[in-house]
Amino acid sequence: MARVSLLLSRWLFLPWTQRTVSGAVLPRCGTLGRARSRQLSTTSALSAKKGILERLADGPVIGDGSYVVTLEKRGYVKAGPFTPEAAIEHPDAVKQLHKEFLRAGADVIQAFTFYATDGKLSITEGGKSYTSTDLNQAACDLARDVADSGNALVCGGVSPTPTYTDGKGKEVVQNEFKKQVDVFVKNDVDFLLAEFFGFIEETEWAIETLKVTGKPVAATMRIGPVGDLAGVSPGDCAVRMAKAGADIVGLNCSFDYQTELKAMKMMKQALDAAGLKPFLMTQPLGYHVPESENCRVGYYDLPEYPFAMEPRLLTRWDVRKYAREAYNMGIRYIGGCCGFEPYHIREISEELSKERGFRPPGKDKNEDWGAGMKESTITKHTPTRCNRAYWENVKPAMGRAEGPLLSKIVKYDGQA
């Protein structure tokens, strides 16, 4: 770094006619001059960015939220496969969602690489010709472009592959992950994530593949208090993830925040007992699904999944409660998964603004606890809905007189 600074200083003192970029004379003004100026500015800003582990040591890190579910609702992802072809087919849609999460206060922009292995892509949407390399590269480009417009980090993630459940063995499974990881390394993502795994064994194989890079590794499983799909307890899963080399350990998706925090408590206790101290991470569902607490697979066994979940959506005030409870448990990476819209992430950022030392970029359009309602002219009483005391006491109704309060879990042969 010192040598780079010295060379840059010497370059700046050269006459303009002698300053070159790749052999070309750099003009004093004009498009190339401005572009080079922006490049130097961006490079300086990037070099000042703290890494994920440094940030977690300093305080809470806000993750981003839902991609496949949100983009499906917006018309860019096909329900069923839930694969990320949109990174190539509709890059502007993916980029826009990245931007919304960044404005909401996310410290991490996760590349849209969910289910982006060749094993998964080859059996979805009629077996499209996109390769894992194609999709992961496109996703990295989009994530980096948005992250660099703020102070966010880029995360490259791997998720379960059918080659594991098909029993093709460790070498084949890890080769699937390696194709993604090679792209992540090429693009110098800031850290890596193994997410949404149902089996601890496959999670360990993923962590091993990611650790080879030397980059920080996070790992999350889609399990609740009853454990993984093979019956391994949350505590044992956490210990095995940490021993496999994960720097950050936690849960994501499949369960609501109440259930996920119960399982996180079990994981934390087991890690403490084993003398292991990884950072903790949680990215739960953005829905209330209490019926799923004792299910091994989570909310997928609800009859409403996936097209009738909206009545269960968390309010922004629910999200505040989640963020505070997670933080008080010692969890420092706090984000969301399916159902977590940008405004949900904004409320995590707002709830933890004192701990972070700043409010999210979108604060200009978001008065804390609805304080902006003081300016409402709709009725005489709407301006009174402008504070925490009001919103913490509201009990939202479903608005469906014929609807049940809870659903019955769907039963079927071979249920986990």
Side-chain angles (χ1 to χ4, degrees):
M1 182 60 71
R3 177 172 173 77
V4 172
S5 298
L6 178 61
L7 291 173
L8 180 58
S9 298
R10 290 175 177 174
W11 182 84
L12 288 171
F13 280 101
L14 288 172
W16 280 100
T17 54
Q18 295 180 32
R19 298 186 192 183
T20 64
V21 178
S22 300
V25 174
L26 181 68
R28 181 166 185 161
C29 59
T31 303
L32 181 56
R34 287 193 297 271
R36 181 59 175 166
S37 176
R38 286 195 298 270
Q39 182 180 345
L40 292 173
S41 175
T42 300
T43 301
S44 176
L46 290 177
S47 65
K49 281 187 180 180
K50 289 184 178 180
I52 185 63
L53 300 182
E54 295 173 283
R55 295 186 188 207
L56 287 167
D58 288 344
V61 168
I62 310 302
D64 53 10
S66 168
Y67 280 98
V68 291
V69 167
T70 295
L71 288 169
E72 188 279 328
K73 289 180 179 179
R74 296 183 182 187
Y76 301 106
V77 164
K78 184 177 180 181
F82 290 114
T83 41
E85 288 86 356
I88 291 175
E89 297 173 344
H90 303 286
D92 289 345
V94 177
K95 190 173 182 178
Q96 177 60 33
L97 187 52
H98 284 325
K99 288 180 178 179
E100 291 176 29
F101 284 129
L102 184 69
R103 179 171 167 79
D107 296 306
V108 174
I109 299 299
Q110 189 171 333
F112 188 35
T113 59
F114 182 74
Y115 274 166
T117 62
D118 282 331
K120 179 67 174 179
L121 295 172
S122 66
I123 61 173
T124 63
E125 293 217 41
K128 287 191 173 180
S129 60
Y130 304 132
T131 67
S132 174
T133 299
D134 293 336
L135 273 174
N136 284 275
Q137 181 59 57
C140 284
D141 289 341
L142 296 170
R144 176 60 72 190
D145 192 32
V146 173
D148 286 357
S149 68
N151 189 36
L153 302 176
V154 174
C155 170
V158 301
S159 47
T161 174
T163 55
Y164 177 80
T165 50
D166 289 346
K168 295 186 178 180
K170 183 176 182 179
E171 183 178 354
V172 175
V173 171
Q174 288 190 321
N175 187 55
E176 290 279 275
F177 297 144
K178 186 177 183 300
K179 293 176 188 176
Q180 292 186 268
V181 170
D182 287 346
V183 178
F184 299 151
V185 171
K186 175 185 174 182
N187 287 272
D188 196 24
V189 301
D190 297 294
F191 70 102
L192 301 171
L193 169 66
E195 69 165 346
F196 195 69
F197 286 90
F199 294 94
I200 183 58
E201 182 180 58
E202 188 182 12
T203 313
E204 291 172 314
W205 295 356
I207 294 170
E208 289 176 12
T209 308
L210 303 185
K211 286 297 289 184
V212 172
T213 68
K215 291 182 177 292
V217 172
T220 56
M221 297 184 70
R222 63 177 197 269
I223 64 174
V226 298
D228 84 342
L229 298 179
V232 180
S233 72
D236 287 345
C237 285
V239 170
R240 288 173 63 172
M241 283 192 278
K243 287 185 175 180
D247 304 291
I248 307 164
V249 167
L251 301 172
N252 82 295
C253 208
S254 298
F255 299 89
D256 58 27
Y257 81 84
Q258 295 96 331
T259 297
E260 195 157 290
L261 292 183
K262 289 178 183 178
M264 285 298 300
K265 183 177 180 180
M266 298 167 69
M267 296 175 82
K268 186 175 186 297
Q269 290 172 342
L271 289 165
D272 289 343
L276 299 168
K277 299 294 181 182
F279 289 106
L280 301 179
M281 172 178 180
T282 180
Q283 298 200 120
L285 288 175
Y287 306 104
H288 291 287
V289 291
E291 308 97 311
S292 300
E293 179 175 336
N294 295 314
C295 295
R296 204 169 293 282
V297 301
Y299 85 129
Y300 314 104
D301 283 349
L302 289 174
E304 298 99 317
Y305 173 81
F307 299 128
M309 294 298 301
E310 287 79 4
R312 296 171 174 266
L313 195 65
L314 299 183
T315 69
R316 61 194 72 198
W317 317 124
D318 292 328
V319 172
R320 286 233 177 185
K321 184 177 180 182
Y322 150 61
R324 180 55 55 190
E325 290 183 9
Y327 182 82
N328 289 344
M329 279 182 59
I331 298 168
R332 289 297 176 263
Y333 191 122
I334 303 172
C337 201
C338 298
F340 263 79
E341 298 292 329
Y343 74 91
H344 289 122
I345 300 302
R346 184 183 67 201
E347 293 306 323
I348 299 177
S349 303
E350 293 283 18
E351 178 64 27
L352 299 176
S353 60
K354 289 184 179 179
E355 288 80 3
R356 301 174 78 206
F358 56 91
R359 292 181 65 205
K363 62 183 181 295
D364 58 315
K365 298 296 183 182
N366 186 55
E367 293 286 342
D368 204 25
W369 284 98
M373 286 300 295
K374 289 182 291 188
E375 302 174 35
S376 175
T377 59
I378 297 173
T379 69
K380 290 184 178 180
H381 59 268
T382 51
T384 66
R385 301 172 181 179
C386 63
N387 54 59
R388 180 173 184 167
Y390 176 84
W391 288 111
E392 281 193 328
N393 286 289
V394 169
K395 304 298 181 186
M398 290 184 62
R400 299 173 184 272
E402 77 286 359
L405 181 62
L406 299 174
S407 292
K408 293 182 179 180
I409 296 294
V410 177
K411 300 294 183 181
Y412 53 90
D413 291 339
Q415 188 170 22

